[in-house]
Amino acid sequence: MAELEPAALLNDTEAAVNGTGKLGSSPEGAALAYGSLLTMALLPIFFGAMRSVSCARGKNSSDMPETITSRDAARFPIIASCTLFGLYIFFKIFSQEYINLLLSMYFFVLGVLALAHTISPAMNRILPATIPNKQYQLLFTQGSGESKEDILNYEFDTRDLVCLVLSSVVGVWYILKKHWIANNLFGLAFALNGVELLHLNNVSTGCILLGGLFIYDIFWVFGTNVMVTVAKSFEAPIKLVFPQDLLERGLQANNFAMLGLGDIVIPGIFIALLLRFDISLKKNSHTYFYTSFVAYVFGLALTIFVMHTFKHAQPALLYLVPACIGFPLIVALLKGELTEMFSYESTAELLPHTPRLSHFPAVSGSPASLAESMQQKTCSPRRRRHLNPSSM
């Protein structure tokens, strides 16, 4: 499978618009684009963190989130680097058109599932109770008799079916038009599901993960052109985009600023961990959550400022990691809760047999990894998806 890493915050000011070499954006348009990217990044972090709390409190061990351990976190940047460079080689050797065609179909399926899971809670409140809620099951097996194994076991009901239909409409729109709004709908769904379903087991693991990706992001953005090349060549909803020339060209604008999903999901799962830590303190306050949330806003705003000032792609984690780790640690030190913070174990609140993410089939922040983990361990008790490793 082809999967991506967290992309850096990029700015297409280095690219020509319609081959003319002239930019079609105004200062107001650029400000609108940057502000919209910042807002879109905050939404999945905030709501994903809130949903991660109820996800962690699930009563069924088969519905628990994936848990990232310190060992997983340590090898994450290495696997991410190998995957990134492999994609770079692929784009250099093979036709970009055919690669993106295959990936579009792949992300169509994952995007529909991710978006359906995202809008499911809202749909449950909107649809009237008078509508019959029938149960369905999609089952695909291999073998027979005692050797029969489930490759796909997808249970859903009428309301889930409505979500899938609506999500499929967005998916068809994305496949046919590659419109930036459809791209963002899928991207937001991937990011929210990632923050909700991928859990760090403790603060130390979060520091290891963010620290490793801090170095990874700096190297691949400043040390080579690999990250920027892959991010611009890869036509898939693995980034949020917003046109800087929207005010001039409307919905047909094409001079985009973009933010990779990994720069949302990776800090997001750390912020969600701090929210669960806040709740474990039982002080009826979300001090560390709001501190890290404000730190993320500060870090991303600083990234945008530096990028716009120097007209060069920036590794967002260069600014996000020190902010998201440093601000909460300073608060914990001032409050005398540093020891409690590092002794907190998120997995202690889960069932003894909580599934753990023992390997990374995908790289940091990849939509494929986010949707795949959603397929395997969905938090909704009405939907369960089981994938047999032999089918991968």
Side-chain angles (χ1 to χ4, degrees):
M1 301 180 196
E3 292 154 5
L4 276 184
E5 77 303 325
L9 186 65
L10 304 173
N11 185 355
D12 275 357
T13 53
E14 300 174 353
V17 177
N18 294 330
T20 63
K22 297 180 180 179
L23 297 176
S25 61
S26 61
E28 294 80 7
L32 176 62
Y34 297 145
S36 299
L37 282 179
L38 179 59
T39 302
M40 287 191 291
L42 296 177
L43 291 176
I45 291 178
F46 184 85
F47 291 105
M50 295 298 176
R51 288 173 61 158
S52 77
V53 175
S54 58
C55 185
R57 290 173 174 173
K59 297 181 179 180
N60 192 326
S61 61
S62 65
D63 297 325
M64 289 297 165
E66 297 281 9
T67 303
I68 301 175
T69 66
S70 57
R71 180 182 176 185
D72 303 326
R75 61 184 180 179
F76 208 96
I78 299 174
I79 298 176
S81 296
C82 294
T83 306
L84 175 64
F85 189 69
L87 283 169
Y88 177 77
I89 297 299
F90 259 86
F91 278 112
K92 289 295 183 180
I93 296 176
F94 300 103
S95 171
Q96 179 177 323
E97 179 183 355
Y98 293 115
I99 294 176
N100 281 320
L101 178 61
L102 292 174
L103 292 175
S104 294
M105 299 306 298
Y106 176 66
F107 281 107
F108 167 80
V109 176
L110 298 181
V112 167
L113 293 174
L115 187 58
H117 176 67
T118 300
I119 66 176
S120 178
M123 191 59 61
N124 290 336
R125 291 191 292 268
I126 294 174
L127 291 179
T130 55
I131 297 179
N133 194 27
K134 298 181 180 180
Q135 301 294 320
Y136 304 93
Q137 182 179 25
L138 183 62
L139 181 62
F140 183 64
T141 63
Q142 70 175 8
S144 60
E146 296 181 357
S147 62
K148 180 184 292 186
E149 293 181 312
D150 289 355
I151 296 178
L152 175 66
N153 188 353
Y154 181 41
E155 298 178 4
F156 56 100
D157 55 30
T158 303
R159 289 172 179 153
D160 297 326
L161 192 59
V162 173
C163 294
L164 288 169
V165 170
L166 293 176
S167 301
S168 297
V169 173
V170 176
V172 172
W173 181 23
Y174 174 76
I175 289 291
L176 296 179
K177 300 294 184 181
K178 290 293 191 300
H179 199 278
W180 59 272
I181 294 180
N183 172 90
N184 287 347
L185 289 175
F186 275 167
L188 289 170
F190 282 132
L192 189 147
N193 279 278
V195 176
E196 175 187 357
L197 298 172
L198 295 177
H199 287 196
L200 295 164
N201 62 352
N202 54 49
V203 173
S204 297
T205 299
C207 292
I208 294 172
L209 179 65
L210 268 66
L213 291 173
F214 171 81
I215 298 172
Y216 157 88
D217 223 17
I218 294 174
F219 173 76
W220 288 111
V221 173
F222 286 151
T224 72
N225 68 337
V226 172
M227 178 83 81
V228 175
T229 300
V230 171
K232 290 183 178 181
S233 302
F234 202 90
E235 292 182 4
I238 48 84
K239 56 199 173 191
L240 299 180
V241 299
F242 200 92
Q244 301 180 71
D245 52 343
L246 179 68
L247 299 178
E248 291 78 20
R249 303 193 61 191
L251 295 180
Q252 301 305 314
N254 60 3
N255 181 26
F256 293 103
M258 61 186 79
L259 176 66
L261 294 190
D263 296 325
I264 301 172
V265 175
I266 297 303
I269 60 178
F270 185 75
I271 294 172
L273 172 67
L274 293 179
L275 174 60
R276 299 193 296 275
F277 170 63
D278 274 323
I279 294 174
S280 73
L281 295 176
K282 299 180 180 179
K283 294 183 179 180
N284 296 322
S285 67
H286 294 162
T287 304
Y288 295 102
F289 170 69
Y290 289 126
T291 299
S292 58
F293 196 78
V294 171
Y296 182 87
V297 175
F298 170 78
L300 191 55
L302 181 60
T303 308
I304 293 172
F305 173 77
V306 174
M307 179 193 66
H308 185 70
T309 301
F310 293 97
K311 308 297 182 185
H312 189 279
Q314 296 293 313
L317 295 182
L318 170 64
Y319 309 93
L320 292 173
V321 169
C324 290
I325 294 180
F327 283 35
L329 289 184
I330 292 174
V331 172
L333 187 63
L334 294 176
K335 296 183 67 175
E337 295 176 341
L338 197 61
T339 302
E340 293 169 283
M341 173 182 282
F342 278 91
S343 62
Y344 168 71
E345 287 283 341
S346 181
T347 52
E349 301 174 0
L350 307 181
L351 296 178
H353 301 294
T354 298
R356 300 166 72 85
L357 188 59
S358 57
H359 69 284
F360 283 99
V363 288
S364 155
S366 160
S369 64
L370 308 184
E372 185 165 326
S373 56
M374 179 193 69
Q375 290 174 298
Q376 296 173 353
K377 301 286 184 292
T378 301
C379 286
S380 171
R382 296 181 290 109
R383 293 188 300 279
R384 296 172 188 157
R385 303 172 182 89
H386 306 286
L387 291 181
N388 192 319
S390 63
S391 66
M392 301 300 289

